[in-house]
Amino acid sequence: KVLTKRKLQELCSQMAPGVQLEADVEEALLEVADEFVSSITNFSCSFAKHRKSSILDVKDVQLALDRHNIRVPGFTAEEPKPFKKMVPVDAHK
């Protein structure tokens, strides 16, 4: 397991003091965390293989996280791309 019940409870108490997780919610969150880390790891390894490398690099993990729109401060090599607002053309109004 990537995240233990104790760590999940500590995280919950930091974010929402006094809130208790039901057992089934706790299990679901632990499962989701494991699946997420597994998915990111698999995608990251795929990117490394695509580069014909046997070494997993930070940029491989960044690409995998980008698929989920997740940016990790301090590990992003480039500035976030600015959001461009789409202007509707007359034909689509």
Side-chain angles (χ1 to χ4, degrees), residues 4 6 9-10 15 18-19 21 23 28 31 33 45 50 60 63 65 75 87 92-93:
T4 64
R6 183 175 183 184
Q9 290 167 349
E10 287 175 15
M15 294 174 51
V19 173
L21 296 176
E31 186 175 324
C45 289
H50 179 72
D60 301 315
L63 285 170
L65 290 172
F75 289 100
V87 179
H92 292 110
K93 288 183 179 180

Side-chain angles (χ1 to χ4, degrees), residues 40 43-51 53 55-66:
I40 294 299
F43 274 118
S44 301
C45 289
S46 299
F47 292 133
K49 285 181 184 178
H50 179 72
R51 292 186 300 105
S53 175
I55 298 172
L56 186 63
D57 194 15
V58 171
K59 63 186 172 186
D60 301 315
V61 178
Q62 286 175 337
L63 285 170
L65 290 172
D66 281 347

